[in-house]
PDB file of all heavy atoms in Angstrom:
ATOM      1  N   GLU A 456      13.017  -2.125  -2.230  1.00 80.00           N
ATOM      2  CA  GLU A 456      12.536  -0.743  -2.260  1.00 80.00           C
ATOM      3  C   GLU A 456      13.304   0.076  -3.298  1.00 80.00           C
ATOM      4  O   GLU A 456      12.737   0.905  -4.001  1.00 80.00           O
ATOM      5  CB  GLU A 456      12.678  -0.116  -0.868  1.00 80.00           C
ATOM      6  CG  GLU A 456      12.087   1.282  -0.735  1.00 80.00           C
ATOM      7  CD  GLU A 456      10.568   1.270  -0.780  1.00 80.00           C
ATOM      8  OE1 GLU A 456       9.956   0.177  -0.840  1.00 80.00           O
ATOM      9  OE2 GLU A 456      10.000   2.364  -0.772  1.00 80.00           O
ATOM     10  N   ALA A 457      14.597  -0.177  -3.412  1.00 80.00           N
ATOM     11  CA  ALA A 457      15.412   0.551  -4.397  1.00 80.00           C
ATOM     12  C   ALA A 457      14.969   0.246  -5.820  1.00 80.00           C
ATOM     13  O   ALA A 457      14.854   1.145  -6.662  1.00 80.00           O
ATOM     14  CB  ALA A 457      16.891   0.197  -4.212  1.00 80.00           C
ATOM     15  N   VAL A 458      14.724  -1.026  -6.096  1.00 77.00           N
ATOM     16  CA  VAL A 458      14.265  -1.410  -7.438  1.00 77.00           C
ATOM     17  C   VAL A 458      12.952  -0.719  -7.771  1.00 77.00           C
ATOM     18  O   VAL A 458      12.707  -0.323  -8.912  1.00 77.00           O
ATOM     19  CB  VAL A 458      14.114  -2.944  -7.527  1.00 77.00           C
ATOM     20  CG1 VAL A 458      13.416  -3.355  -8.811  1.00 77.00           C
ATOM     21  CG2 VAL A 458      15.484  -3.609  -7.455  1.00 77.00           C
ATOM     22  N   ARG A 459      12.117  -0.535  -6.759  1.00 77.00           N
ATOM     23  CA  ARG A 459      10.820   0.103  -6.975  1.00 77.00           C
ATOM     24  C   ARG A 459      10.941   1.619  -7.148  1.00 77.00           C
ATOM     25  O   ARG A 459      10.272   2.218  -8.005  1.00 77.00           O
ATOM     26  CB  ARG A 459       9.890  -0.199  -5.793  1.00 77.00           C
ATOM     27  CG  ARG A 459       8.459   0.292  -5.971  1.00 77.00           C
ATOM     28  CD  ARG A 459       7.612  -0.001  -4.744  1.00 77.00           C
ATOM     29  NE  ARG A 459       7.996   0.817  -3.608  1.00 77.00           N
ATOM     30  CZ  ARG A 459       7.561   2.060  -3.415  1.00 77.00           C
ATOM     31  NH1 ARG A 459       6.747   2.630  -4.260  1.00 77.00           N
ATOM     32  NH2 ARG A 459       7.946   2.736  -2.342  1.00 77.00           N
ATOM     33  N   VAL A 460      11.821   2.257  -6.353  1.00 81.00           N
ATOM     34  CA  VAL A 460      11.844   3.715  -6.272  1.00 81.00           C
ATOM     35  C   VAL A 460      12.849   4.360  -7.219  1.00 81.00           C
ATOM     36  O   VAL A 460      12.563   5.400  -7.839  1.00 81.00           O
ATOM     37  CB  VAL A 460      12.131   4.149  -4.810  1.00 81.00           C
ATOM     38  CG1 VAL A 460      12.384   5.642  -4.720  1.00 81.00           C
ATOM     39  CG2 VAL A 460      10.979   3.742  -3.912  1.00 81.00           C
ATOM     40  N   TRP A 461      14.026   3.770  -7.349  1.00 81.00           N
ATOM     41  CA  TRP A 461      15.115   4.451  -8.042  1.00 81.00           C
ATOM     42  C   TRP A 461      14.863   4.776  -9.519  1.00 81.00           C
ATOM     43  O   TRP A 461      15.330   5.819  -9.984  1.00 81.00           O
ATOM     44  CB  TRP A 461      16.411   3.637  -7.910  1.00 81.00           C
ATOM     45  CG  TRP A 461      17.023   3.725  -6.539  1.00 81.00           C
ATOM     46  CD1 TRP A 461      16.443   4.223  -5.408  1.00 81.00           C
ATOM     47  CD2 TRP A 461      18.322   3.279  -6.148  1.00 81.00           C
ATOM     48  NE1 TRP A 461      17.290   4.098  -4.337  1.00 81.00           N
ATOM     49  CE2 TRP A 461      18.463   3.534  -4.766  1.00 81.00           C
ATOM     50  CE3 TRP A 461      19.372   2.683  -6.839  1.00 81.00           C
ATOM     51  CZ2 TRP A 461      19.616   3.208  -4.075  1.00 81.00           C
ATOM     52  CZ3 TRP A 461      20.527   2.367  -6.145  1.00 81.00           C
ATOM     53  CH2 TRP A 461      20.654   2.631  -4.779  1.00 81.00           C
ATOM     54  N   PRO A 462      14.182   3.913 -10.269  1.00 79.00           N
ATOM     55  CA  PRO A 462      13.994   4.287 -11.683  1.00 79.00           C
ATOM     56  C   PRO A 462      13.330   5.641 -11.866  1.00 79.00           C
ATOM     57  O   PRO A 462      13.661   6.377 -12.805  1.00 79.00           O
ATOM     58  CB  PRO A 462      13.103   3.151 -12.205  1.00 79.00           C
ATOM     59  CG  PRO A 462      13.452   1.986 -11.350  1.00 79.00           C
ATOM     60  CD  PRO A 462      13.664   2.558  -9.987  1.00 79.00           C
ATOM     61  N   ALA A 463      12.400   6.002 -10.985  1.00 80.00           N
ATOM     62  CA  ALA A 463      11.719   7.287 -11.100  1.00 80.00           C
ATOM     63  C   ALA A 463      12.402   8.385 -10.297  1.00 80.00           C
ATOM     64  O   ALA A 463      12.273   9.564 -10.623  1.00 80.00           O
ATOM     65  CB  ALA A 463      10.260   7.136 -10.632  1.00 80.00           C
ATOM     66  N   ASP A 464      13.141   8.012  -9.258  1.00 80.00           N
ATOM     67  CA  ASP A 464      13.747   9.016  -8.377  1.00 80.00           C
ATOM     68  C   ASP A 464      15.105   8.527  -7.871  1.00 80.00           C
ATOM     69  O   ASP A 464      15.271   8.191  -6.697  1.00 80.00           O
ATOM     70  CB  ASP A 464      12.803   9.280  -7.193  1.00 80.00           C
ATOM     71  CG  ASP A 464      13.292  10.409  -6.293  1.00 80.00           C
ATOM     72  OD1 ASP A 464      14.122  11.228  -6.761  1.00 80.00           O
ATOM     73  OD2 ASP A 464      12.858  10.475  -5.118  1.00 80.00           O
ATOM     74  N   PRO A 465      16.126   8.483  -8.735  1.00 81.00           N
ATOM     75  CA  PRO A 465      17.429   7.969  -8.322  1.00 81.00           C
ATOM     76  C   PRO A 465      18.087   8.865  -7.268  1.00 81.00           C
ATOM     77  O   PRO A 465      18.047  10.094  -7.381  1.00 81.00           O
ATOM     78  CB  PRO A 465      18.247   7.979  -9.624  1.00 81.00           C
ATOM     79  CG  PRO A 465      17.557   8.965 -10.497  1.00 81.00           C
ATOM     80  CD  PRO A 465      16.104   8.915 -10.144  1.00 81.00           C
ATOM     81  N   PRO A 466      18.680   8.271  -6.235  1.00 82.00           N
ATOM     82  CA  PRO A 466      19.303   9.087  -5.178  1.00 82.00           C
ATOM     83  C   PRO A 466      20.674   9.615  -5.612  1.00 82.00           C
ATOM     84  O   PRO A 466      21.339   9.036  -6.475  1.00 82.00           O
ATOM     85  CB  PRO A 466      19.442   8.087  -4.035  1.00 82.00           C
ATOM     86  CG  PRO A 466      19.625   6.776  -4.716  1.00 82.00           C
ATOM     87  CD  PRO A 466      18.764   6.835  -5.952  1.00 82.00           C
ATOM     88  N   ARG A 467      21.084  10.697  -4.981  1.00 81.00           N
ATOM     89  CA  ARG A 467      22.422  11.236  -5.261  1.00 81.00           C
ATOM     90  C   ARG A 467      23.509  10.332  -4.686  1.00 81.00           C
ATOM     91  O   ARG A 467      24.598  10.214  -5.256  1.00 81.00           O
ATOM     92  CB  ARG A 467      22.548  12.641  -4.657  1.00 81.00           C
ATOM     93  CG  ARG A 467      21.638  13.686  -5.310  1.00 81.00           C
ATOM     94  CD  ARG A 467      21.856  15.057  -4.670  1.00 81.00           C
ATOM     95  NE  ARG A 467      21.001  16.058  -5.274  1.00 81.00           N
ATOM     96  CZ  ARG A 467      20.952  17.331  -4.897  1.00 81.00           C
ATOM     97  NH1 ARG A 467      21.742  17.745  -3.896  1.00 81.00           N
ATOM     98  NH2 ARG A 467      20.140  18.174  -5.493  1.00 81.00           N
ATOM     99  N   ASP A 468      23.213   9.712  -3.548  1.00 80.00           N
ATOM    100  CA  ASP A 468      24.178   8.840  -2.884  1.00 80.00           C
ATOM    101  C   ASP A 468      23.547   7.454  -2.734  1.00 80.00           C
ATOM    102  O   ASP A 468      22.901   7.162  -1.712  1.00 80.00           O
ATOM    103  CB  ASP A 468      24.538   9.426  -1.511  1.00 80.00           C
ATOM    104  CG  ASP A 468      25.511   8.537  -0.732  1.00 80.00           C
ATOM    105  OD1 ASP A 468      26.011   7.557  -1.312  1.00 80.00           O
ATOM    106  OD2 ASP A 468      25.749   8.822   0.459  1.00 80.00           O
ATOM    107  N   PRO A 469      23.682   6.578  -3.733  1.00 82.00           N
ATOM    108  CA  PRO A 469      23.007   5.275  -3.678  1.00 82.00           C
ATOM    109  C   PRO A 469      23.342   4.470  -2.423  1.00 82.00           C
ATOM    110  O   PRO A 469      22.456   3.908  -1.785  1.00 82.00           O
ATOM    111  CB  PRO A 469      23.495   4.574  -4.949  1.00 82.00           C
ATOM    112  CG  PRO A 469      23.845   5.691  -5.878  1.00 82.00           C
ATOM    113  CD  PRO A 469      24.404   6.774  -5.005  1.00 82.00           C
ATOM    114  N   LYS A 470      24.631   4.399  -2.074  1.00 81.00           N
ATOM    115  CA  LYS A 470      25.001   3.609  -0.907  1.00 81.00           C
ATOM    116  C   LYS A 470      24.392   4.198   0.364  1.00 81.00           C
ATOM    117  O   LYS A 470      23.858   3.470   1.216  1.00 81.00           O
ATOM    118  CB  LYS A 470      26.515   3.528  -0.775  1.00 81.00           C
ATOM    119  CG  LYS A 470      26.960   2.731   0.448  1.00 81.00           C
ATOM    120  CD  LYS A 470      28.480   2.676   0.581  1.00 81.00           C
ATOM    121  CE  LYS A 470      28.894   1.972   1.866  1.00 81.00           C
ATOM    122  NZ  LYS A 470      30.372   1.940   2.027  1.00 81.00           N
ATOM    123  N   GLY A 471      24.475   5.516   0.508  1.00 82.00           N
ATOM    124  CA  GLY A 471      23.912   6.155   1.690  1.00 82.00           C
ATOM    125  C   GLY A 471      22.407   5.920   1.796  1.00 82.00           C
ATOM    126  O   GLY A 471      21.876   5.680   2.876  1.00 82.00           O
ATOM    127  N   TRP A 472      21.738   5.965   0.643  1.00 83.00           N
ATOM    128  CA  TRP A 472      20.291   5.707   0.613  1.00 83.00           C
ATOM    129  C   TRP A 472      19.997   4.291   1.091  1.00 83.00           C
ATOM    130  O   TRP A 472      19.114   4.069   1.929  1.00 83.00           O
ATOM    131  CB  TRP A 472      19.787   5.911  -0.803  1.00 83.00           C
ATOM    132  CG  TRP A 472      18.297   5.897  -0.979  1.00 83.00           C
ATOM    133  CD1 TRP A 472      17.460   6.964  -1.060  1.00 83.00           C
ATOM    134  CD2 TRP A 472      17.465   4.733  -1.121  1.00 83.00           C
ATOM    135  NE1 TRP A 472      16.164   6.543  -1.235  1.00 83.00           N
ATOM    136  CE2 TRP A 472      16.126   5.174  -1.269  1.00 83.00           C
ATOM    137  CE3 TRP A 472      17.721   3.357  -1.118  1.00 83.00           C
ATOM    138  CZ2 TRP A 472      15.066   4.300  -1.440  1.00 83.00           C
ATOM    139  CZ3 TRP A 472      16.658   2.467  -1.265  1.00 83.00           C
ATOM    140  CH2 TRP A 472      15.343   2.950  -1.438  1.00 83.00           C
ATOM    141  N   LEU A 473      20.747   3.319   0.573  1.00 83.00           N
ATOM    142  CA  LEU A 473      20.530   1.916   0.951  1.00 83.00           C
ATOM    143  C   LEU A 473      20.820   1.691   2.432  1.00 83.00           C
ATOM    144  O   LEU A 473      20.090   0.967   3.107  1.00 83.00           O
ATOM    145  CB  LEU A 473      21.403   1.000   0.097  1.00 83.00           C
ATOM    146  CG  LEU A 473      20.955   0.782  -1.348  1.00 83.00           C
ATOM    147  CD1 LEU A 473      22.033   0.039  -2.130  1.00 83.00           C
ATOM    148  CD2 LEU A 473      19.648   0.003  -1.392  1.00 83.00           C
ATOM    149  N   VAL A 474      21.890   2.288   2.941  1.00 83.00           N
ATOM    150  CA  VAL A 474      22.222   2.136   4.358  1.00 83.00           C
ATOM    151  C   VAL A 474      21.101   2.685   5.237  1.00 83.00           C
ATOM    152  O   VAL A 474      20.667   2.045   6.206  1.00 83.00           O
ATOM    153  CB  VAL A 474      23.557   2.843   4.681  1.00 83.00           C
ATOM    154  CG1 VAL A 474      23.756   2.940   6.202  1.00 83.00           C
ATOM    155  CG2 VAL A 474      24.719   2.091   4.062  1.00 83.00           C
ATOM    156  N   THR A 475      20.593   3.864   4.881  1.00 83.00           N
ATOM    157  CA  THR A 475      19.528   4.483   5.679  1.00 83.00           C
ATOM    158  C   THR A 475      18.271   3.631   5.693  1.00 83.00           C
ATOM    159  O   THR A 475      17.690   3.358   6.753  1.00 83.00           O
ATOM    160  CB  THR A 475      19.193   5.882   5.115  1.00 83.00           C
ATOM    161  OG1 THR A 475      20.356   6.712   5.187  1.00 83.00           O
ATOM    162  CG2 THR A 475      18.068   6.528   5.906  1.00 83.00           C
ATOM    163  N   VAL A 476      17.839   3.174   4.516  1.00 84.00           N
ATOM    164  CA  VAL A 476      16.618   2.377   4.437  1.00 84.00           C
ATOM    165  C   VAL A 476      16.810   1.035   5.123  1.00 84.00           C
ATOM    166  O   VAL A 476      15.944   0.565   5.869  1.00 84.00           O
ATOM    167  CB  VAL A 476      16.194   2.190   2.959  1.00 84.00           C
ATOM    168  CG1 VAL A 476      15.026   1.214   2.851  1.00 84.00           C
ATOM    169  CG2 VAL A 476      15.821   3.529   2.348  1.00 84.00           C
ATOM    170  N   ALA A 477      17.962   0.388   4.887  1.00 82.00           N
ATOM    171  CA  ALA A 477      18.213  -0.920   5.499  1.00 82.00           C
ATOM    172  C   ALA A 477      18.253  -0.820   7.029  1.00 82.00           C
ATOM    173  O   ALA A 477      17.736  -1.690   7.726  1.00 82.00           O
ATOM    174  CB  ALA A 477      19.513  -1.507   4.966  1.00 82.00           C
ATOM    175  N   TRP A 478      18.889   0.240   7.550  1.00 83.00           N
ATOM    176  CA  TRP A 478      18.969   0.399   9.003  1.00 83.00           C
ATOM    177  C   TRP A 478      17.576   0.605   9.604  1.00 83.00           C
ATOM    178  O   TRP A 478      17.250   0.055  10.653  1.00 83.00           O
ATOM    179  CB  TRP A 478      19.880   1.573   9.350  1.00 83.00           C
ATOM    180  CG  TRP A 478      20.100   1.741  10.834  1.00 83.00           C
ATOM    181  CD1 TRP A 478      19.696   2.759  11.629  1.00 83.00           C
ATOM    182  CD2 TRP A 478      20.793   0.830  11.702  1.00 83.00           C
ATOM    183  NE1 TRP A 478      20.076   2.551  12.925  1.00 83.00           N
ATOM    184  CE2 TRP A 478      20.751   1.367  13.015  1.00 83.00           C
ATOM    185  CE3 TRP A 478      21.420  -0.395  11.495  1.00 83.00           C
ATOM    186  CZ2 TRP A 478      21.325   0.731  14.098  1.00 83.00           C
ATOM    187  CZ3 TRP A 478      21.993  -1.040  12.596  1.00 83.00           C
ATOM    188  CH2 TRP A 478      21.942  -0.471  13.879  1.00 83.00           C
ATOM    189  N   ARG A 479      16.736   1.385   8.908  1.00 81.00           N
ATOM    190  CA  ARG A 479      15.357   1.564   9.395  1.00 81.00           C
ATOM    191  C   ARG A 479      14.608   0.237   9.403  1.00 81.00           C
ATOM    192  O   ARG A 479      13.870  -0.061  10.334  1.00 81.00           O
ATOM    193  CB  ARG A 479      14.617   2.572   8.514  1.00 81.00           C
ATOM    194  CG  ARG A 479      15.065   4.013   8.705  1.00 81.00           C
ATOM    195  CD  ARG A 479      14.380   4.913   7.708  1.00 81.00           C
ATOM    196  NE  ARG A 479      14.791   6.299   7.833  1.00 81.00           N
ATOM    197  CZ  ARG A 479      14.534   7.233   6.935  1.00 81.00           C
ATOM    198  NH1 ARG A 479      13.875   6.926   5.822  1.00 81.00           N
ATOM    199  NH2 ARG A 479      14.941   8.477   7.110  1.00 81.00           N
ATOM    200  N   ARG A 480      14.810  -0.555   8.340  1.00 81.00           N
ATOM    201  CA  ARG A 480      14.138  -1.857   8.269  1.00 81.00           C
ATOM    202  C   ARG A 480      14.624  -2.765   9.410  1.00 81.00           C
ATOM    203  O   ARG A 480      13.841  -3.500  10.007  1.00 81.00           O
ATOM    204  CB  ARG A 480      14.401  -2.538   6.916  1.00 81.00           C
ATOM    205  CG  ARG A 480      13.826  -1.799   5.719  1.00 81.00           C
ATOM    206  CD  ARG A 480      12.307  -1.766   5.755  1.00 81.00           C
ATOM    207  NE  ARG A 480      11.760  -1.255   4.522  1.00 81.00           N
ATOM    208  CZ  ARG A 480      11.363  -0.001   4.328  1.00 81.00           C
ATOM    209  NH1 ARG A 480      11.445   0.874   5.313  1.00 81.00           N
ATOM    210  NH2 ARG A 480      10.861   0.373   3.165  1.00 81.00           N
ATOM    211  N   PHE A 481      15.944  -2.705   9.696  1.00 79.00           N
ATOM    212  CA  PHE A 481      16.479  -3.516  10.782  1.00 79.00           C
ATOM    213  C   PHE A 481      15.864  -3.109  12.116  1.00 79.00           C
ATOM    214  O   PHE A 481      15.461  -3.962  12.914  1.00 79.00           O
ATOM    215  CB  PHE A 481      18.002  -3.367  10.848  1.00 79.00           C
ATOM    216  CG  PHE A 481      18.594  -3.917  12.120  1.00 79.00           C
ATOM    217  CD1 PHE A 481      18.686  -5.281  12.334  1.00 79.00           C
ATOM    218  CD2 PHE A 481      19.037  -3.048  13.118  1.00 79.00           C
ATOM    219  CE1 PHE A 481      19.201  -5.788  13.517  1.00 79.00           C
ATOM    220  CE2 PHE A 481      19.556  -3.537  14.307  1.00 79.00           C
ATOM    221  CZ  PHE A 481      19.644  -4.916  14.506  1.00 79.00           C
ATOM    222  N   LEU A 482      15.767  -1.804  12.391  1.00 78.00           N
ATOM    223  CA  LEU A 482      15.192  -1.338  13.651  1.00 78.00           C
ATOM    224  C   LEU A 482      13.721  -1.726  13.757  1.00 78.00           C
ATOM    225  O   LEU A 482      13.252  -2.136  14.827  1.00 78.00           O
ATOM    226  CB  LEU A 482      15.353   0.180  13.764  1.00 78.00           C
ATOM    227  CG  LEU A 482      16.783   0.695  13.917  1.00 78.00           C
ATOM    228  CD1 LEU A 482      16.794   2.217  13.955  1.00 78.00           C
ATOM    229  CD2 LEU A 482      17.450   0.131  15.164  1.00 78.00           C
ATOM    230  N   ASP A 483      12.979  -1.591  12.639  1.00 76.00           N
ATOM    231  CA  ASP A 483      11.570  -2.001  12.644  1.00 76.00           C
ATOM    232  C   ASP A 483      11.440  -3.484  12.974  1.00 76.00           C
ATOM    233  O   ASP A 483      10.595  -3.890  13.772  1.00 76.00           O
ATOM    234  CB  ASP A 483      10.943  -1.734  11.267  1.00 76.00           C
ATOM    235  CG  ASP A 483      10.593  -0.270  11.054  1.00 76.00           C
ATOM    236  OD1 ASP A 483      10.608   0.487  12.040  1.00 76.00           O
ATOM    237  OD2 ASP A 483      10.299   0.104   9.903  1.00 76.00           O
ATOM    238  N   ALA A 484      12.294  -4.296  12.340  1.00 75.00           N
ATOM    239  CA  ALA A 484      12.230  -5.749  12.563  1.00 75.00           C
ATOM    240  C   ALA A 484      12.608  -6.086  14.006  1.00 75.00           C
ATOM    241  O   ALA A 484      12.006  -6.977  14.615  1.00 75.00           O
ATOM    242  CB  ALA A 484      13.160  -6.467  11.592  1.00 75.00           C
ATOM    243  N   ALA A 485      13.594  -5.382  14.552  1.00 73.00           N
ATOM    244  CA  ALA A 485      14.009  -5.642  15.931  1.00 73.00           C
ATOM    245  C   ALA A 485      12.885  -5.319  16.911  1.00 73.00           C
ATOM    246  O   ALA A 485      12.622  -6.074  17.855  1.00 73.00           O
ATOM    247  CB  ALA A 485      15.261  -4.829  16.266  1.00 73.00           C
ATOM    248  N   ARG A 486      12.196  -4.178  16.669  1.00 68.00           N
ATOM    249  CA  ARG A 486      11.070  -3.824  17.550  1.00 68.00           C
ATOM    250  C   ARG A 486       9.938  -4.846  17.417  1.00 68.00           C
ATOM    251  O   ARG A 486       9.320  -5.234  18.406  1.00 68.00           O
ATOM    252  CB  ARG A 486      10.574  -2.413  17.220  1.00 68.00           C
ATOM    253  CG  ARG A 486      11.473  -1.305  17.750  1.00 68.00           C
ATOM    254  CD  ARG A 486      10.788   0.041  17.651  1.00 68.00           C
ATOM    255  NE  ARG A 486      10.654   0.474  16.280  1.00 68.00           N
ATOM    256  CZ  ARG A 486      11.511   1.294  15.665  1.00 68.00           C
ATOM    257  NH1 ARG A 486      12.558   1.753  16.325  1.00 68.00           N
ATOM    258  NH2 ARG A 486      11.322   1.665  14.418  1.00 68.00           N
ATOM    259  N   ALA A 487       9.654  -5.252  16.176  1.00 65.00           N
ATOM    260  CA  ALA A 487       8.591  -6.231  15.966  1.00 65.00           C
ATOM    261  C   ALA A 487       8.938  -7.565  16.623  1.00 65.00           C
ATOM    262  O   ALA A 487       8.071  -8.236  17.195  1.00 65.00           O
ATOM    263  CB  ALA A 487       8.339  -6.428  14.465  1.00 65.00           C
ATOM    264  N   ASP A 488      10.231  -7.933  16.553  1.00 65.00           N
ATOM    265  CA  ASP A 488      10.648  -9.191  17.162  1.00 65.00           C
ATOM    266  C   ASP A 488      10.491  -9.139  18.676  1.00 65.00           C
ATOM    267  O   ASP A 488      10.069 -10.115  19.309  1.00 65.00           O
ATOM    268  CB  ASP A 488      12.101  -9.485  16.788  1.00 65.00           C
ATOM    269  CG  ASP A 488      12.547 -10.867  17.261  1.00 65.00           C
ATOM    270  OD1 ASP A 488      11.926 -11.850  16.834  1.00 65.00           O
ATOM    271  OD2 ASP A 488      13.506 -10.939  18.051  1.00 65.00           O
ATOM    272  N   ALA A 489      10.809  -8.000  19.263  1.00 60.00           N
ATOM    273  CA  ALA A 489      10.637  -7.859  20.710  1.00 60.00           C
ATOM    274  C   ALA A 489       9.172  -7.972  21.098  1.00 60.00           C
ATOM    275  O   ALA A 489       8.813  -8.607  22.099  1.00 60.00           O
ATOM    276  CB  ALA A 489      11.215  -6.511  21.162  1.00 60.00           C
ATOM    277  N   ALA A 490       8.313  -7.358  20.273  1.00 57.00           N
ATOM    278  CA  ALA A 490       6.871  -7.446  20.555  1.00 57.00           C
ATOM    279  C   ALA A 490       6.378  -8.879  20.408  1.00 57.00           C
ATOM    280  O   ALA A 490       5.543  -9.347  21.190  1.00 57.00           O
ATOM    281  CB  ALA A 490       6.096  -6.524  19.608  1.00 57.00           C
ATOM    282  N   ARG A 491       6.914  -9.598  19.412  1.00 55.00           N
ATOM    283  CA  ARG A 491       6.503 -10.985  19.222  1.00 55.00           C
ATOM    284  C   ARG A 491       6.911 -11.838  20.430  1.00 55.00           C
ATOM    285  O   ARG A 491       6.158 -12.703  20.878  1.00 55.00           O
ATOM    286  CB  ARG A 491       7.129 -11.566  17.953  1.00 55.00           C
ATOM    287  CG  ARG A 491       6.422 -11.129  16.683  1.00 55.00           C
ATOM    288  CD  ARG A 491       6.829 -12.000  15.523  1.00 55.00           C
ATOM    289  NE  ARG A 491       8.215 -11.804  15.145  1.00 55.00           N
ATOM    290  CZ  ARG A 491       8.635 -10.901  14.270  1.00 55.00           C
ATOM    291  NH1 ARG A 491       7.760 -10.088  13.690  1.00 55.00           N
ATOM    292  NH2 ARG A 491       9.905 -10.777  13.969  1.00 55.00           N
ATOM    293  N   ARG A 492       8.120 -11.573  20.960  1.00 56.00           N
ATOM    294  CA  ARG A 492       8.561 -12.353  22.118  1.00 56.00           C
ATOM    295  C   ARG A 492       7.646 -12.114  23.318  1.00 56.00           C
ATOM    296  O   ARG A 492       7.359 -13.026  24.091  1.00 56.00           O
ATOM    297  CB  ARG A 492      10.012 -12.012  22.463  1.00 56.00           C
ATOM    298  CG  ARG A 492      11.022 -12.611  21.501  1.00 56.00           C
ATOM    299  CD  ARG A 492      12.413 -12.580  22.098  1.00 56.00           C
ATOM    300  NE  ARG A 492      12.872 -11.218  22.308  1.00 56.00           N
ATOM    301  CZ  ARG A 492      13.534 -10.509  21.401  1.00 56.00           C
ATOM    302  NH1 ARG A 492      13.781 -11.038  20.215  1.00 56.00           N
ATOM    303  NH2 ARG A 492      13.937  -9.290  21.661  1.00 56.00           N
ATOM    304  N   ARG A 493       7.167 -10.864  23.460  1.00 53.00           N
ATOM    305  CA  ARG A 493       6.237 -10.584  24.551  1.00 53.00           C
ATOM    306  C   ARG A 493       4.940 -11.363  24.363  1.00 53.00           C
ATOM    307  O   ARG A 493       4.357 -11.875  25.307  1.00 53.00           O
ATOM    308  CB  ARG A 493       5.933  -9.080  24.629  1.00 53.00           C
ATOM    309  CG  ARG A 493       7.099  -8.253  25.143  1.00 53.00           C
ATOM    310  CD  ARG A 493       6.643  -6.864  25.542  1.00 53.00           C
ATOM    311  NE  ARG A 493       6.070  -6.117  24.436  1.00 53.00           N
ATOM    312  CZ  ARG A 493       6.780  -5.368  23.608  1.00 53.00           C
ATOM    313  NH1 ARG A 493       8.097  -5.281  23.745  1.00 53.00           N
ATOM    314  NH2 ARG A 493       6.188  -4.685  22.648  1.00 53.00           N
ATOM    315  N   ARG A 494       4.466 -11.421  23.085  1.00 51.00           N
ATOM    316  CA  ARG A 494       3.233 -12.158  22.826  1.00 51.00           C
ATOM    317  C   ARG A 494       3.422 -13.653  23.055  1.00 51.00           C
ATOM    318  O   ARG A 494       2.507 -14.352  23.492  1.00 51.00           O
ATOM    319  CB  ARG A 494       2.763 -11.899  21.389  1.00 51.00           C
ATOM    320  CG  ARG A 494       2.139 -10.546  21.188  1.00 51.00           C
ATOM    321  CD  ARG A 494       1.474 -10.468  19.829  1.00 51.00           C
ATOM    322  NE  ARG A 494       2.440 -10.584  18.753  1.00 51.00           N
ATOM    323  CZ  ARG A 494       3.092  -9.565  18.220  1.00 51.00           C
ATOM    324  NH1 ARG A 494       2.882  -8.349  18.676  1.00 51.00           N
ATOM    325  NH2 ARG A 494       3.959  -9.738  17.236  1.00 51.00           N
ATOM    326  N   GLU A 495       4.618 -14.165  22.746  1.00 51.00           N
ATOM    327  CA  GLU A 495       4.848 -15.598  22.894  1.00 51.00           C
ATOM    328  C   GLU A 495       4.789 -16.035  24.349  1.00 51.00           C
ATOM    329  O   GLU A 495       4.554 -17.201  24.653  1.00 51.00           O
ATOM    330  CB  GLU A 495       6.197 -15.970  22.270  1.00 51.00           C
ATOM    331  CG  GLU A 495       6.137 -15.967  20.742  1.00 51.00           C
ATOM    332  CD  GLU A 495       7.510 -15.972  20.105  1.00 51.00           C
ATOM    333  OE1 GLU A 495       8.503 -15.989  20.861  1.00 51.00           O
ATOM    334  OE2 GLU A 495       7.582 -15.962  18.866  1.00 51.00           O
TER     335      GLU A 495
END
């Protein structure tokens, strides 16, 4: 996502931006994994 977004809109705090996006991705994946286990 950073490679896609930053060239046009670089963040003021690169590390903070990456932490925020990565944490959201982790939470999304965790919720999806829980849903998959229910389906299994």
Side-chain angles (χ1 to χ4, degrees):
E456 186 71 4
V458 170
R459 186 182 70 83
V460 171
W461 286 12
D464 186 20
R467 294 182 180 178
D468 178 8
K470 179 181 175 181
W472 189 98
L473 285 171
V474 168
T475 299
V476 173
W478 184 246
R479 287 175 181 167
R480 296 295 189 262
F481 167 73
L482 293 178
D483 282 347
R486 284 192 290 264
D488 187 59
R491 282 195 292 271
R492 286 196 296 271
R493 288 195 299 272
R494 285 191 295 272
E495 286 165 0

